[in-house]
Amino acid sequence: MTQPAGVAAPIATFFAAVGFAALAICGFGFTSLVTDTDVIAAPGLGQGAGIAAMLLAAGAFAGAEYGAVRRGRYPAAVWVMIATVAGYLAGIVLGGVLTGADAALALGAAGTFSLSWFALVLAVNAAAASWAGIALGRTRARRPEWPWERSDEDE
Protein backbone atom coordinates (compact mmCIF):
# COMPACT_ATOMS: atom_id res chain seq x y z
CA MET A 1 0.00 0.00 0.00
CA THR A 2 1.41 3.36 -0.97
CA GLN A 3 1.13 6.41 1.24
CA PRO A 4 0.13 9.81 -0.16
CA ALA A 5 3.06 12.15 -0.76
CA GLY A 6 3.51 14.92 1.76
CA VAL A 7 1.44 16.17 4.63
CA ALA A 8 -2.16 17.13 3.85
CA ALA A 9 -2.58 20.82 3.01
CA PRO A 10 -4.98 21.63 5.89
CA ILE A 11 -2.64 20.06 8.44
CA ALA A 12 0.46 21.79 7.06
CA THR A 13 -1.45 25.08 7.00
CA PHE A 14 -2.56 24.64 10.61
CA PHE A 15 0.97 23.98 11.85
CA ALA A 16 2.37 26.88 9.82
CA ALA A 17 -0.31 29.27 11.13
CA VAL A 18 0.28 28.30 14.75
CA GLY A 19 4.03 28.67 14.21
CA PHE A 20 3.52 32.05 12.58
CA ALA A 21 1.40 33.37 15.45
CA ALA A 22 3.92 32.17 18.04
CA LEU A 23 6.88 33.63 16.12
CA ALA A 24 5.11 36.95 15.56
CA ILE A 25 4.13 37.40 19.20
CA CYS A 26 7.62 36.44 20.39
CA GLY A 27 9.23 38.67 17.76
CA PHE A 28 7.04 41.61 18.75
CA GLY A 29 7.98 41.11 22.39
CA PHE A 30 11.70 41.03 21.73
CA THR A 31 11.56 43.95 19.31
CA SER A 32 9.61 45.97 21.84
CA LEU A 33 12.18 45.10 24.49
CA VAL A 34 15.16 46.01 22.31
CA THR A 35 13.72 49.23 20.83
CA ASP A 36 11.86 50.29 24.00
CA THR A 37 8.73 51.11 21.98
CA ASP A 38 5.19 49.79 21.83
CA VAL A 39 4.04 47.64 18.95
CA ILE A 40 1.17 50.02 18.22
CA ALA A 41 2.28 53.35 19.63
CA ALA A 42 -0.89 55.43 19.47
CA PRO A 43 -2.30 56.80 22.71
CA GLY A 44 -6.05 56.38 22.89
CA LEU A 45 -6.21 53.47 20.45
CA GLY A 46 -6.60 50.72 23.05
CA GLN A 47 -5.85 47.02 22.96
CA GLY A 48 -8.64 46.16 20.55
CA ALA A 49 -6.59 47.31 17.59
CA GLY A 50 -3.72 44.96 18.43
CA ILE A 51 -6.01 42.02 19.06
CA ALA A 52 -7.95 42.57 15.84
CA ALA A 53 -4.72 43.09 13.90
CA MET A 54 -3.21 39.81 15.07
CA LEU A 55 -6.44 37.90 14.40
CA LEU A 56 -6.77 39.33 10.89
CA ALA A 57 -3.08 38.73 10.18
CA ALA A 58 -3.36 35.10 11.31
CA GLY A 59 -6.51 34.65 9.22
CA ALA A 60 -4.87 36.20 6.16
CA PHE A 61 -1.81 34.03 6.72
CA ALA A 62 -3.87 30.84 6.99
CA GLY A 63 -5.95 31.63 3.92
CA ALA A 64 -2.99 32.50 1.74
CA GLU A 65 -0.88 29.67 3.15
CA TYR A 66 -3.49 27.05 2.28
CA GLY A 67 -3.22 28.01 -1.37
CA ALA A 68 0.57 28.14 -1.18
CA VAL A 69 0.80 24.68 0.38
CA ARG A 70 -1.57 23.24 -2.22
CA ARG A 71 0.55 24.71 -5.04
CA GLY A 72 3.78 23.62 -3.32
CA ARG A 73 5.93 26.41 -4.75
CA TYR A 74 8.29 28.28 -2.45
CA PRO A 75 7.96 31.72 -4.14
CA ALA A 76 4.33 31.75 -2.96
CA ALA A 77 5.72 32.57 0.49
CA VAL A 78 6.19 36.15 -0.74
CA TRP A 79 2.45 36.46 -1.45
CA VAL A 80 1.63 34.98 1.93
CA MET A 81 3.92 37.56 3.54
CA ILE A 82 2.23 40.43 1.67
CA ALA A 83 -1.26 39.19 2.58
CA THR A 84 -0.27 38.82 6.23
CA VAL A 85 1.15 42.33 6.56
CA ALA A 86 -1.89 43.76 4.75
CA GLY A 87 -4.16 41.85 7.12
CA TYR A 88 -2.32 43.24 10.12
CA LEU A 89 -2.57 46.82 8.86
CA ALA A 90 -6.27 46.39 8.10
CA GLY A 91 -6.73 44.92 11.57
CA ILE A 92 -5.19 47.98 13.21
CA VAL A 93 -7.61 50.27 11.41
CA LEU A 94 -10.66 48.02 11.83
CA GLY A 95 -9.93 47.21 15.46
CA GLY A 96 -9.32 50.85 16.29
CA VAL A 97 -12.53 52.01 14.66
CA LEU A 98 -14.62 49.22 16.22
CA THR A 99 -13.34 50.07 19.71
CA GLY A 100 -14.39 53.68 19.31
CA ALA A 101 -11.16 55.39 18.31
CA ASP A 102 -11.06 58.07 15.67
CA ALA A 103 -10.58 56.66 12.15
CA ALA A 104 -7.74 59.10 11.47
CA LEU A 105 -5.93 57.96 14.62
CA ALA A 106 -6.32 54.29 13.63
CA LEU A 107 -5.14 54.98 10.09
CA GLY A 108 -2.15 56.94 11.42
CA ALA A 109 -1.28 54.09 13.76
CA ALA A 110 -1.34 51.67 10.82
CA GLY A 111 0.97 53.99 8.87
CA THR A 112 3.36 54.30 11.80
CA PHE A 113 3.38 50.52 12.22
CA SER A 114 4.11 49.96 8.53
CA LEU A 115 7.31 52.02 8.83
CA SER A 116 8.51 50.42 12.06
CA TRP A 117 10.77 47.49 12.89
CA PHE A 118 7.67 45.58 13.91
CA ALA A 119 6.47 45.46 10.29
CA LEU A 120 9.80 43.95 9.27
CA VAL A 121 9.56 41.38 12.07
CA LEU A 122 6.02 40.48 11.00
CA ALA A 123 7.02 40.14 7.35
CA VAL A 124 10.07 37.98 8.06
CA ASN A 125 8.10 35.74 10.43
CA ALA A 126 5.30 35.33 7.89
CA ALA A 127 7.74 34.44 5.11
CA ALA A 128 9.65 31.96 7.30
CA ALA A 129 6.52 30.25 8.61
CA SER A 130 5.06 30.12 5.11
CA TRP A 131 8.20 28.55 3.72
CA ALA A 132 8.15 25.97 6.52
CA GLY A 133 4.49 25.15 5.81
CA ILE A 134 5.19 24.71 2.11
CA ALA A 135 8.15 22.48 2.93
CA LEU A 136 5.96 20.42 5.26
CA GLY A 137 3.41 19.97 2.51
CA ARG A 138 6.10 18.91 0.03
CA THR A 139 7.92 16.47 2.30
CA ARG A 140 8.07 12.82 1.36
CA ALA A 141 8.91 11.74 4.88
CA ARG A 142 6.99 9.00 6.63
CA ARG A 143 6.43 8.30 10.27
CA PRO A 144 9.29 6.46 12.02
CA GLU A 145 9.02 2.68 12.08
CA TRP A 146 10.76 -0.14 13.85
CA PRO A 147 12.42 -2.67 11.53
CA TRP A 148 9.76 -5.29 12.26
CA GLU A 149 6.95 -2.87 11.28
CA ARG A 150 8.11 -2.61 7.68
CA SER A 151 6.33 -4.69 5.13
CA ASP A 152 8.25 -6.86 2.68
CA GLU A 153 7.38 -4.39 -0.11
CA ASP A 154 9.45 -1.59 1.50
CA GLU A 155 12.70 -3.55 1.53
Side-chain angles (χ1 to χ4, degrees), residues 12-28 53-62 65 80-81 83-85 87-88 121-130 132-133:
T13 300
F14 174 77
F15 282 123
V18 169
F20 158 72
L23 282 173
I25 291 168
C26 179
F28 283 172
M54 197 62 205
L55 288 175
L56 276 178
F61 177 88
E65 179 68 4
V80 174
M81 175 188 67
T84 303
V85 173
Y88 196 89
V121 168
L122 182 71
V124 169
N125 286 334
S130 177

XYZ file of all heavy atoms in Angstrom, residues 12-28 53-62 65 80-81 83-85 87-88 121-130 132-133:
311
model
N -0.738 20.960 7.212
C 0.462 21.788 7.057
C 0.135 23.259 7.283
O 0.903 23.992 7.910
C 1.070 21.577 5.673
N -1.029 23.699 6.802
C -1.449 25.083 6.997
C -1.679 25.378 8.468
O -1.284 26.432 8.974
C -2.729 25.368 6.195
O -2.456 25.138 4.812
C -3.208 26.789 6.403
N -2.314 24.453 9.172
C -2.564 24.636 10.607
C -1.255 24.794 11.374
O -1.109 25.722 12.171
C -3.373 23.462 11.163
C -3.534 23.505 12.648
C -4.453 24.370 13.230
C -2.767 22.703 13.472
C -4.597 24.423 14.611
C -2.901 22.750 14.841
C -3.825 23.610 15.419
N -0.304 23.896 11.140
C 0.965 23.978 11.850
C 1.726 25.251 11.495
O 2.344 25.879 12.354
C 1.827 22.747 11.570
C 1.413 21.534 12.351
C 1.067 20.358 11.707
C 1.360 21.565 13.729
C 0.676 19.239 12.421
C 0.972 20.457 14.460
C 0.625 19.280 13.798
N 1.686 25.653 10.234
C 2.371 26.876 9.824
C 1.720 28.098 10.460
O 2.415 29.023 10.889
C 2.358 26.995 8.304
N 0.389 28.115 10.549
C -0.314 29.266 11.132
C -0.036 29.380 12.630
O 0.179 30.486 13.143
C -1.816 29.151 10.878
N -0.034 28.270 13.323
C 0.281 28.296 14.750
C 1.729 28.745 14.953
O 2.021 29.565 15.834
C 0.030 26.912 15.397
C 0.590 26.846 16.798
C -1.464 26.598 15.407
N 2.630 28.244 14.130
C 4.029 28.666 14.215
C 4.192 30.141 13.904
O 4.957 30.845 14.570
N 3.458 30.630 12.913
C 3.523 32.048 12.582
C 3.070 32.907 13.754
O 3.728 33.882 14.111
C 2.670 32.368 11.348
C 2.287 33.813 11.279
C 3.236 34.776 10.957
C 1.006 34.231 11.586
C 2.895 36.113 10.924
C 0.657 35.553 11.558
C 1.604 36.511 11.226
N 1.931 32.568 14.338
C 1.405 33.370 15.454
C 2.396 33.392 16.619
O 2.648 34.446 17.208
C 0.048 32.836 15.894
N 2.962 32.238 16.930
C 3.922 32.172 18.036
C 5.177 32.988 17.724
O 5.670 33.737 18.576
C 4.294 30.717 18.319
N 5.690 32.867 16.511
C 6.876 33.633 16.124
C 6.602 35.135 16.120
O 7.447 35.928 16.556
C 7.354 33.212 14.737
C 8.133 31.924 14.622
C 8.370 31.588 13.149
C 9.460 32.036 15.343
N 5.438 35.528 15.633
C 5.109 36.954 15.559
C 4.986 37.558 16.949
O 5.526 38.639 17.218
C 3.824 37.161 14.768
N 4.296 36.872 17.849
C 4.130 37.395 19.205
C 5.478 37.465 19.920
O 5.797 38.466 20.576
C 3.106 36.547 19.983
C 1.715 36.766 19.384
C 3.119 36.889 21.458
C 0.667 35.791 19.865
N 6.284 36.435 19.773
C 7.619 36.439 20.386
C 8.488 37.527 19.757
O 9.193 38.256 20.469
C 8.266 35.074 20.210
S 9.922 34.953 20.897
N 8.442 37.647 18.441
C 9.230 38.671 17.757
C 8.822 40.075 18.150
O 9.668 40.953 18.336
N 7.510 40.301 18.300
C 7.037 41.615 18.746
C 7.535 41.913 20.156
O 7.936 43.036 20.455
C 5.518 41.680 18.717
C 4.926 41.866 17.348
C 3.564 41.770 17.166
C 5.704 42.140 16.242
C 2.992 41.946 15.925
C 5.152 42.314 14.992
C 3.793 42.219 14.830
N -5.794 43.161 14.895
C -4.724 43.090 13.904
C -4.085 41.703 13.879
O -3.857 41.139 12.799
C -3.668 44.150 14.193
N -3.826 41.139 15.038
C -3.209 39.812 15.066
C -4.173 38.746 14.555
O -3.762 37.818 13.839
C -2.742 39.480 16.493
C -1.772 38.353 16.551
S -0.277 38.783 15.638
C 0.281 37.164 15.226
N -5.461 38.876 14.892
C -6.443 37.904 14.400
C -6.586 37.984 12.887
O -6.628 36.946 12.210
C -7.796 38.126 15.079
C -7.881 37.730 16.553
C -9.240 38.118 17.132
C -7.637 36.241 16.721
N -6.659 39.196 12.349
C -6.766 39.330 10.895
C -5.491 38.884 10.191
O -5.548 38.284 9.111
C -7.097 40.770 10.519
C -8.569 41.143 10.572
C -8.770 42.610 10.233
C -9.386 40.286 9.643
N -4.342 39.167 10.785
C -3.079 38.727 10.183
C -2.999 37.205 10.162
O -2.596 36.615 9.156
C -1.896 39.307 10.945
N -3.385 36.568 11.261
C -3.364 35.099 11.306
C -4.362 34.505 10.320
O -4.075 33.496 9.663
C -3.655 34.612 12.721
N -5.520 35.127 10.198
C -6.505 34.652 9.225
C -6.025 34.823 7.795
O -6.196 33.920 6.958
N -5.421 35.973 7.503
C -4.874 36.205 6.164
C -3.736 35.228 5.878
O -3.617 34.697 4.768
C -4.386 37.640 6.038
N -2.910 34.985 6.890
C -1.815 34.035 6.723
C -2.358 32.649 6.398
O -1.912 32.002 5.451
C -0.952 33.966 7.987
C 0.154 32.956 7.892
C 1.378 33.316 7.364
C -0.035 31.648 8.298
C 2.402 32.375 7.244
C 0.976 30.708 8.185
C 2.194 31.073 7.662
N -3.331 32.196 7.187
C -3.872 30.842 6.987
C -4.534 30.700 5.620
O -4.346 29.685 4.938
C -4.855 30.505 8.100
N -1.780 30.822 2.994
C -0.883 29.670 3.154
C -1.511 28.392 2.619
O -0.818 27.548 2.058
C -0.496 29.504 4.625
C 0.410 28.340 4.904
C 1.812 28.478 4.339
O 2.147 29.527 3.776
O 2.585 27.523 4.459
N 2.154 35.203 0.585
C 1.627 34.983 1.932
C 2.099 36.097 2.858
O 1.324 36.633 3.661
C 2.050 33.596 2.475
C 1.631 33.422 3.907
C 1.485 32.489 1.604
N 3.361 36.478 2.726
C 3.917 37.560 3.542
C 3.169 38.867 3.279
O 2.795 39.579 4.215
C 5.406 37.733 3.232
C 6.053 38.906 3.926
S 7.732 39.210 3.345
C 7.436 39.730 1.677
N 0.114 39.300 2.070
C -1.259 39.190 2.580
C -1.301 39.319 4.095
O -2.213 39.943 4.656
C -1.872 37.864 2.147
N -0.313 38.767 4.769
C -0.269 38.822 6.227
C -0.051 40.243 6.728
O -0.742 40.703 7.644
C 0.837 37.892 6.759
O 0.595 36.561 6.278
C 0.873 37.886 8.263
N 0.889 40.945 6.144
C 1.148 42.329 6.556
C -0.067 43.205 6.245
O -0.465 44.042 7.062
C 2.432 42.872 5.894
C 2.613 44.351 6.168
C 3.645 42.090 6.394
N -3.148 42.212 6.125
C -4.163 41.848 7.117
C -3.909 42.509 8.456
O -4.848 42.955 9.133
N -2.655 42.595 8.850
C -2.322 43.235 10.124
C -2.642 44.724 10.072
O -3.227 45.273 11.019
C -0.844 43.023 10.473
C -0.541 43.321 11.917
C -0.648 42.328 12.883
C -0.178 44.592 12.332
C -0.393 42.589 14.214
C 0.078 44.865 13.662
C -0.033 43.860 14.595
O 0.204 44.131 15.933
N 9.634 42.627 11.299
C 9.561 41.378 12.068
C 8.370 40.541 11.619
O 8.481 39.330 11.418
C 9.500 41.679 13.587
C 9.125 40.452 14.390
C 10.822 42.257 14.064
N 7.225 41.186 11.447
C 6.020 40.481 11.005
C 6.226 39.874 9.622
O 5.882 38.711 9.394
C 4.832 41.443 10.987
C 3.487 40.838 10.591
C 2.979 39.931 11.711
C 2.481 41.929 10.296
N 6.808 40.639 8.708
C 7.019 40.144 7.349
C 7.987 38.967 7.316
O 7.737 37.960 6.638
C 7.531 41.282 6.463
N 9.079 39.067 8.043
C 10.069 37.978 8.062
C 9.469 36.727 8.698
O 9.661 35.611 8.195
C 11.356 38.427 8.794
C 12.275 37.254 9.074
C 12.074 39.492 7.986
N 8.731 36.891 9.783
C 8.097 35.737 10.425
C 7.076 35.083 9.509
O 6.983 33.852 9.448
C 7.435 36.148 11.743
C 8.445 36.397 12.826
O 9.538 35.848 12.808
N 8.084 37.233 13.776
N 6.295 35.883 8.799
C 5.300 35.329 7.887
C 5.972 34.558 6.754
O 5.536 33.462 6.390
C 4.415 36.440 7.325
N 7.037 35.119 6.197
C 7.742 34.439 5.111
C 8.385 33.137 5.593
O 8.305 32.110 4.914
C 8.796 35.362 4.507
N 8.994 33.168 6.769
C 9.650 31.963 7.297
C 8.630 30.871 7.626
O 8.837 29.701 7.288
C 10.460 32.318 8.536
N 7.540 31.243 8.275
C 6.518 30.251 8.613
C 5.842 29.711 7.353
O 5.512 28.524 7.274
C 5.478 30.860 9.554
N 5.653 30.569 6.371
C 5.055 30.121 5.114
C 5.973 29.136 4.401
O 5.522 28.098 3.903
C 4.767 31.318 4.211
O 4.259 30.885 2.982
N 8.155 27.220 5.762
C 8.147 25.965 6.518
C 6.870 25.160 6.237
O 6.918 23.937 6.118
C 8.266 26.256 8.013
N 5.743 25.850 6.124
C 4.495 25.151 5.812
C 4.526 24.534 4.426
O 4.037 23.408 4.232
